Amino acid sequence: MDNRWNREYDAVVVGAGNGGMTASTQLALLGKRVLLLEQHNIIGGFSTSFVRGRFEFEASLHELCDVGSSEDPGGVGELFKELGVEVEWMSVPEAYRLIVPEKNLNVVMPFGVSEYIDAMERYVPGSRPAVTKFMDLADEVMRALQYLAESKGNPDRKVLMGEYGNFMRTTAYSLDQVCDAVGVPKAARDILYAYWCYLGVPTSRLNFTIFAAMINRYLIKGAYIPRYRSTEMALAFERRFRELGGTIECGTRVEKILVEKGSVTGIVTASGERIKTGHVLCNASLPRVYGEMVHPESEVPEMALRSMNARSVAGSGFVVFLGLDASPDELGLKDYSYFIYHDTDTDALYDGLYRLGRPTVQAAVCLNRAVPDCSPPGTTIMSITCLYKPEAWKDVEPKDYFKLKNELAGYFIDDFEAATGCSIRGHIEEIDIAAPPTYARYTGAYQGVIYGYEVDSWDSLMPRMMMMKDDIYIKGLRFASGWGFRCIGYSSALQCGRTEALLTSLDMDQEKGGAAS
Amino acid sequence: MTAKQLKIKVKGTLRDLLAFKNLAKKRMQRFRKAPATRYSSLHVNDLAARLHPASQNLVIKEVRDETKSSRTFTLAADREAGTGEIAYFQAGQYLSIRETVEGCAITRPYSIASSPADALNGFYEITIRKTDKGFFTGHVWEHWKVGRKVVASAPMGQMFYSPLRDSRRIVAVAGGSGITPFRAMAREICAGGIDASLRLIYGCSDEGDIMFIDEFREMAKAHPDRFSFVLVMSCDEVTLEGCEKGFITGDIIARHSDPGSDSYFLCGPDLMYDFVTRELVSLGVPLRRLRREAYGEIKNPSRFTGYPSGAEGKTYSIVVHGRGKTETITARGDESVLVALERARYAPPSACRSGECQFCRTLLLKGDVWVGPESDGRREADRRNGYIHPCASFPVSDLELELPTAGTREG
Ligand SMILES: Cc1cc2nc3c(=O)[nH]c(=O)nc-3n(C[C@H](O)[C@H](O)[C@H](O)COP(=O)(O)OP(=O)(O)OC[C@H]3O[C@@H](n4cnc5c(N)ncnc54)[C@H](O)[C@@H]3O)c2cc1C
Ligand code: FES
């Protein structure tokens, strides 16, 4: 190693959020020398928690998709097993309660495909055939994606056409378009679409494939959360990564990713340390990587910039955390997960994300319904989440910030009370409010965005998978996060990190092969 | 239904397959059409950085003797050092001052005594009481003059008014220098920045050492509907009129407020904190109407039940794994692990020194610590994975730990 460098690693992972944690653990498992750098003083990124008084609040996770039970794990459950990361999972009792006060809609939907279809039939008589068809189609989508993953990017066209024709014919379309084709009645769609806000794109644009895969996994595998908030998951990764010989440094911000002639050569930390590596996996936001970190600027290919400008970033979060001094039973909080919408038209709801007025959307969670002892006896932990587009926060000044947060939080609490009939206000012992600047502050996320790019049909899972090679604009620079090819969401980020690590390892093998020949 | 029986078409089989085939091409076309520019705005991150700067470079603009034992320092942004503006805050929050004293890099939290409106006008005030043989306050009295540069954290802390949680009648119970956050609140309330009223119950031990007394009298006169106060004097001879005598008790609190509906905010020395908390609880005040400032550094761990007897007189060794090197230092049983690290000339991160803010979060590899009952602000997963908050942890055996890197947070 020449003296320009302080240290050298096979790979450096920039940021220890969901994607960074799986990427680093997978690489360490393959015996690579990995350095995991995190700017905050704890790993996890959005997978974290914080303490206020007698309560410990989950910062972001509502429910993790595709974990499954220990006997019947899903893809994410397998990932944890294969990486050797142990988490105590608690199951979420039901899929969701959806309330749309303006439409007198108030339904509870269970997990399990047939249970879900039965419930739908009860709420929307006559919906069974179409909803069954939709679920069969979603099942084919999921199997097709599994086949694509197994074929490692080289699927047999004949198998695709023969076995997964419906998947192929629907993957270029939006959720609305496919529901039209399947003939799902409007009243059933109103209920079916509830999960849209987890993806944050209106159903007129939201890609069908990604939605279908999500609902399929939720209904078949249920949903889980770690017993001790997502910090438990983060620290389980940390323990495993250390055990595998990985080096982890918190409180270390990467300032530059050094590139020479189109290839990564190393990184520079905020304190000026120069670390040599040919492989950087970024959990840090894609726009900030190309916008600020790649050095020199001239090494950022035009297409990388164009690719960013062609897409639009999904939402940032707004969360009201409540520690309540009464039990869920006393408060009348029956369910774990509540979606409360002021319309069934997701375009109208989505437009509301651009305004800092009365909100149109909320997703509330009563944590005790999955983890009964998450707070002391006789208390409850609740959180109410909404998305905002970064644009909405454009003119907010520090002097308005705290008042604004309280005002918005007040709307969310009022809405929740009005929709559920539960009385919350008189029981607030602790309250904290996270807004887009909060997410920006703790993770450095571009514009506080918690998701990544919107999953329109033209830029969803399939086109991103088809273009995985094209999307590498700098050799040795990959993205392990919700900004990556798996698109947005906790499970996606976890899986994305792992896949990118496996691909990095293949890159390394090829380099070695190339050098030997 | 099996996959074979299911046949979905959206726009027709051929068009659907073509749409599939063209996905990559179409995406590439969209990319090509977009401009090759960097992002144009980072306003959310900028707002975050203005609200929560990693640190603030300040300069002392004015020094004023507040009472015989306390001084008020006016601090403004040190533009020369690169701080363009001071961060806005919520009345009740504190700054953690970072300074090197006798070669040791330490921190000390001080409540902001001026109002948020003052911050918009470019200054903070902190009022420091000189403690007997105080390690930091002694240094302040000697060195903090007009023009001196001071480094502070962003405003932090959780003791501020929440319109969604608190009663609009706030009762502040303060002892000694614990008065400072309430001066900020009183100013903010009188200026109309918070829509609530403040009743202050203020315990002092010396008539010549009552902070902000003239100002409180003026505010109470000018805004009787928003601000009032009662002094509780614990000295033997009291000449001031209209005071309560003795220490702040439940009786006194009940006489001057309504425990059935008011919200209580508490800030004062540890013994008062423990006593008044018990009194309020026995008056039936639920925790949701009780806000308490961070507990402060524990000075005398052996006064707590549960602290292993004899440990305070011992010394222990701590193996410290820093970046690239390992050293062994000694620690006193009656001082926190944080102080031991600071004495050994490490500069570990910290801010609240009360176990609450988690800035000092450290991985303990071996050994046992005792943690103060009011000061265990750890996450459950941290606790289960060997993490400690050194500021609130006292060694009760030899230890081995991994030194944290200062958390450089940016916007
Ligand atoms: C949230 C909060 C707000 C506060 N606000 C105010 C306020 O507005 N006004 C105010 O006056 N006070 C305030 N305080 C108290 C303040 O932070 C200090 O504790 C106080 O000023 C005493 O500081 P000192 O160093 O002089 O005291 P000391 O008692 O001398 O110092 C405390 C510690 O220094 C350690 N020490 C001694 N020698 C060394 C050495 N060589 N190296 C390292 N450490 C050493 C000691 O072990 C001891 O633990 C606040 C505290 C908190 C928690
Ligand atoms: S300094 Fe705040 S927890 Fe230790």
Side-chain angles (χ1 to χ4, degrees), chain B residues 30-183:
Chain B
R30 283 189 185 249
F31 282 7
R32 284 212 185 90
K33 264 191 260 160
T37 51
R38 259 152 244 272
Y39 57 73
S40 55
S41 175
L42 212 55
H43 59 267
V44 174
N45 305 70
D46 294 342
L47 178 59
R50 289 174 70 192
L51 289 161
H52 311 287
S55 68
Q56 306 194 79
N57 294 302
L58 306 173
V59 58
I60 300 175
K61 290 288 182 188
E62 200 188 314
V63 180
R64 187 169 74 233
D65 281 330
E66 201 61 59
T67 64
K68 61 186 182 192
S69 74
S70 61
R71 276 183 190 163
T72 296
F73 300 88
T74 307
L75 307 168
D78 182 3
R79 297 212 165 74
E80 280 173 22
T83 296
E85 62 172 9
I86 57 172
Y88 191 60
F89 69 103
Q90 303 192 75
Q93 291 192 295
Y94 61 85
L95 300 174
S96 191
I97 303 293
R98 301 169 187 162
E99 193 139 327
T100 300
V101 179
E102 293 172 24
C104 303
I106 60 162
T107 61
R108 288 289 183 272
Y110 292 98
S111 301
I112 304 173
S114 52
S115 73
D118 295 331
L120 294 176
N121 288 322
F123 69 92
Y124 298 129
E125 284 177 351
I126 57 174
T127 301
I128 302 183
R129 166 159 284 160
K130 190 170 189 317
T131 39
D132 190 30
K133 303 200 194 77
F135 180 63
F136 180 62
T137 53
H139 161 94
V140 165
W141 255 246
E142 199 178 326
H143 298 286
W144 278 30
K145 307 273 148 72
V146 170
R148 185 180 172 93
K149 291 169 188 287
V150 170
V151 178
S153 68
M156 14 191 333
Q158 303 301 324
M159 194 187 66
F160 48 78
Y161 172 72
S162 158
L164 297 166
R165 177 196 56 218
D166 301 321
S167 157
R168 287 182 55 218
R169 284 166 47 109
I170 306 168
V171 179
V173 183
S177 69
I179 189 65
T180 49
F182 302 124
R183 189 223 190 200

Side-chain angles (χ1 to χ4, degrees), chain A residues 278-401:
Chain A
H279 299 274
V280 169
L281 289 100
C282 285
N283 198 159
S285 313
L286 194 142
R288 300 202 75 172
V289 172
Y290 289 130
E292 299 158 56
M293 291 163 72
V294 169
H295 185 82
E297 253 186 66
S298 56
E299 286 284 355
V300 179
E302 267 193 10
M303 270 312 274
L305 299 174
R306 290 187 200 281
S307 76
M308 293 193 291
N309 288 318
R311 311 153 117 186
S312 54
V313 295
S316 178
F318 185 93
V319 186
V320 185
F321 302 97
L322 297 166
L324 304 169
D325 73 346
S327 70
D329 286 338
E330 287 165 328
L331 294 165
L333 293 167
K334 293 201 196 73
D335 307 294
Y336 175 81
S337 170
Y338 298 79
F339 295 117
I340 300 170
Y341 299 150
H342 283 299
D343 205 320
T344 46
D345 173 0
T346 57
D347 282 291
L349 295 176
Y350 176 83
D351 285 345
L353 312 185
Y354 284 89
R355 289 190 301 270
L356 294 182
R358 222 192 162 85
T360 53
V361 172
Q362 68 165 266
V365 159
C366 172
L367 195 60
N368 305 64
R369 288 300 180 206
V371 187
D373 62 355
C374 67
S375 65
T379 68
T380 298
I381 290 180
M382 233 193 102
S383 65
I384 305 178
T385 302
C386 174
L387 300 173
Y388 278 112
K389 302 295 279 190
E391 290 87 337
W393 292 76
K394 181 123 190 113
D395 298 318
V396 177
E397 285 289 313
K399 69 173 168 42
D400 311 318
Y401 179 69

Side-chain angles (χ1 to χ4, degrees), chain A residues 68-80:
Chain A
S69 63
S70 50
E71 309 81 50
D72 178 27
V76 173
E78 295 280 6
L79 174 149
F80 276 90

Side-chain angles (χ1 to χ4, degrees), chain B residues 338 349-361 389-392:
Chain B
L338 179 64
S350 68
C352 72
R353 306 184 77 91
S354 306
E356 186 182 275
C357 75
Q358 73 91 41
F359 265 47
C360 62
R361 181 179 184 269
H389 292 172
C391 68

